């Protein structure tokens, strides 16, 4: 069984990425942390942050840990590798990946909006309640 906070592996075009999902307080923030595997311990980290706010849900019923949603519609489960791949592709296209040592923290709601706008609606697994 995998440890809850242990980094998971995602391979994209031969490049191995390590990622994990977390939730912090105060401020009720859900995040995805991404870094290249060869840079482990000393490399650049991208932290995509989903902060709670009006119309933005990062925790609580009916959503589980690692799920984010918007009152205007849309839901992402950040525990799914396919969602992480789509986020990584979009972050790369927008030039959000850090180039040097350290942590780059980015508001992830614009990425959410872009992904949900492109996501198929039928069978999306969206839960009512927002």
């Amino acid at each position: 069984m995998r440890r809850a906070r242990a980094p998971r592996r995602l391979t994209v075009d031969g490049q191995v990425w390590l990622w994990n999902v977390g939730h912090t307080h105060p401020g009720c923030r859900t995040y995805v942390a991404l870094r290249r595997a060869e840079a482990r311990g000393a490399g650049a980290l991208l932290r995509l942050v989903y902060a709670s706010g009006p119309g933005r849900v990062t925790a609580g019923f009916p959503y589980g840990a690692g799920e984010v949603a918007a009152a205007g519609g849309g839901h992402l489960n950040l525990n799914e590798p396919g969602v992480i791949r789509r986020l990584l592709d979009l972050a790369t296209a927008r030039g959000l990946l850090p180039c040097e040592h350290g942590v780059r923290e980015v508001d992830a709601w614009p990425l959410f909006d872009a992904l949900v706008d492109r996501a198929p609606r039928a069978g999306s697994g969206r839960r009512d309640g927002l």
Side-chain angles (χ1 to χ4, degrees):
M1 177 183 263
R2 189 179 75 76
R3 293 181 325 225
R5 292 251 180 178
R8 297 172 69 181
R9 296 171 67 87
L10 177 69
T11 303
V12 178
D13 299 327
Q15 176 70 56
V16 178
W17 291 84
L18 299 176
W19 63 280
N20 67 323
V21 178
H23 190 84
T24 62
H25 288 277
C28 199
R29 299 167 13 128
T30 295
Y31 65 86
V32 174
L34 289 153
R35 78 167 29 133
R36 289 182 184 93
E38 76 272 1
R40 191 176 202 172
L45 176 87
L46 175 63
R47 185 176 296 135
L48 302 173
V49 178
Y50 295 89
S52 285
R56 304 292 194 175
V57 178
T58 62
F61 182 80
Y63 299 98
E67 294 181 84
V68 292
H75 163 265
L76 292 176
N77 184 342
L78 302 174
N79 297 301
E80 296 177 2
V83 171
I84 299 304
R85 168 65 192 264
R86 291 171 40 217
L87 282 170
L88 180 59
D89 289 347
L90 192 52
T92 301
R94 292 186 178 194
L96 299 177
L97 298 181
C99 298
E100 52 191 54
H101 179 70
V103 177
R104 180 169 189 191
E105 197 166 278
V106 175
D107 175 12
W109 286 113
L111 301 176
F112 172 94
D113 293 335
L115 291 179
V116 169
D117 284 347
R118 290 189 288 185
R121 296 288 181 199
S124 67
R126 181 174 177 259
R127 299 178 192 165
D128 294 328
L130 280 182

